[in-house]
Amino acid sequence: MAIGERIIAVRSVDSTNKMAAELLAAQGSAHGTVILAHEQTAGRGRRGRRWASAPGLDIALSVVLKPAALAAADQFGLAKLTALAVADTVREALGTAGDGVAVKWPNDVLVGRRKVAGILIECELAGDRVRHAIVGIGLNVNSVDLPEELLATSLRTAAGGRMHDRDAVVHRLLAAMERRYAQCLHVPAGLDADYTAALWARGRWAPMWLDGAAVDRRPVDVDPHGRLLVEDPEGRVAAYGLDRLRFAAR
Ligand code: BT5
């Protein structure tokens, strides 16, 4: 089944990722099933953080993927394909205003310095394979009053106030997911190259936290495990996971 061929639309739910997990456990949803919420009351970010979205204005959805052929070791491909599908959709929606669309490692989507979308991927492994993944996407579409401290934006804000048709954006996003999913399975080198090209702050010195210390590092690429490859001021390149490295405030 193609991604989005079956959409379960709900009026209000605590979290689409949580609902997708419950449905998977109860009835083993098919690959490509989408849970789309009009309103999400307890949206989840990573590590217990919260995700805010305005009822009816923004997108909160989860996609069930069953990438039978994907090795567990390659699961960062899911983060890449999702971030790129979201970035494709944002660029398409903004037209020429979409110039500054980038993927902030590991998978925030930014317009300029501002976060327009967040992604939460929950994977279940079976041996050395990915049994299924729940890919949660929060995309700010028509919100205009996101708190300034979030350094967020929406398609509407980035487009100078123009409202966007939320359903049309959902369908473009799911079509982009399907394209990027096929690329991930069949042309992974192309996906890797596109992710590298979209990487925010690539080739620029950026303030970061490394093992709790403030440092300047220059992002170069990601490695096959999804760790960020960064260059230090002495020209040495090393790879770090999120357990050790993160960007300081944008
Ligand atoms: C994320 O986490 O960015 C992943 C967000 C995933 C949300 C989707 S919505 C559908 C699905 N169902 C769920 O329950 N979740 C997924 P993280 O990188 O941890 O970023 C969270 C941080 O982003 C928060 O601590 C805030 O600082 C910021 N934030 C919250 N809401 C935001 C928004 N609408 N726009 C921009 N930033 C936001």
Side-chain angles (χ1 to χ4, degrees):
M1 190 172 80
I3 292 171
E5 217 172 294
R6 176 163 185 240
I7 299 181
I8 301 172
V10 291
R11 177 97 212 139
S12 180
V13 70
D14 46 3
S15 153
T16 56
N17 265 39
K18 182 161 166 274
M19 182 174 166
E22 287 162 2
L23 282 177
L24 261 170
Q27 59 180 47
S29 317
H31 168 85
T33 303
V34 173
I35 317 291
L36 172 67
H38 180 83
E39 176 184 39
Q40 183 170 250
T41 55
R44 307 200 299 219
R46 293 171 300 144
R47 301 173 187 218
R49 290 188 286 260
R50 302 295 296 260
W51 183 258
S53 49
L57 293 182
D58 299 321
I59 291 173
L61 60 76
S62 299
V63 183
V64 173
L65 297 180
K66 296 190 170 173
L70 191 71
D74 297 331
Q75 62 181 285
F76 193 70
L78 300 173
K80 286 183 178 174
L81 83 88
T82 308
L84 287 171
V86 174
D88 293 345
T89 308
V90 170
R91 266 194 215 102
E92 211 181 319
L94 296 181
T96 51
D99 285 348
V101 179
V103 176
K104 181 171 163 241
W105 177 78
N107 52 10
D108 286 351
V109 179
L110 305 188
V111 178
R113 292 164 56 240
R114 292 180 174 267
K115 181 163 169 174
V116 71
I119 294 165
L120 174 66
I121 301 181
E122 295 172 298
C123 266
E124 193 175 299
L125 306 181
D128 61 355
R129 302 271 126 190
V130 176
R131 186 200 303 277
H132 63 239
I134 298 171
V135 176
I137 301 172
L139 171 60
N140 302 326
V141 178
N142 287 316
S143 265
V144 281
D145 48 9
L146 289 152
E148 181 53 31
E149 65 270 18
L150 291 184
L151 209 58
T153 189
S154 64
L155 296 182
R156 183 176 172 187
T157 304
R162 186 170 65 82
M163 287 281 275
H164 290 257
D165 179 337
R166 180 177 165 279
D167 288 343
V169 178
V170 167
H171 285 100
R172 284 204 295 271
L173 173 59
L174 297 175
M177 283 281 292
E178 179 66 24
R179 280 196 306 273
R180 290 293 187 177
Y181 184 71
Q183 189 184 27
C184 177
L185 295 185
H186 306 302
V187 207
L191 187 80
D192 293 347
D194 289 352
Y195 183 88
T196 304
L199 206 51
W200 185 70
R202 190 168 67 98
R204 294 202 308 264
W205 294 105
M208 299 195 186
W209 293 102
L210 175 60
D211 296 331
V215 296
D216 282 321
R217 290 291 183 274
R218 193 147 68 173
V220 178
D221 204 342
V222 288
D223 76 1
H225 306 290
R227 295 179 303 183
L228 191 65
L229 283 162
V230 291
E231 185 186 339
D232 72 12
E234 282 74 48
R236 291 176 302 230
V237 174
Y240 301 100
L242 274 175
D243 53 334
R244 299 191 56 191
L245 184 76
R246 62 183 174 83
F247 281 100
R250 302 188 290 282

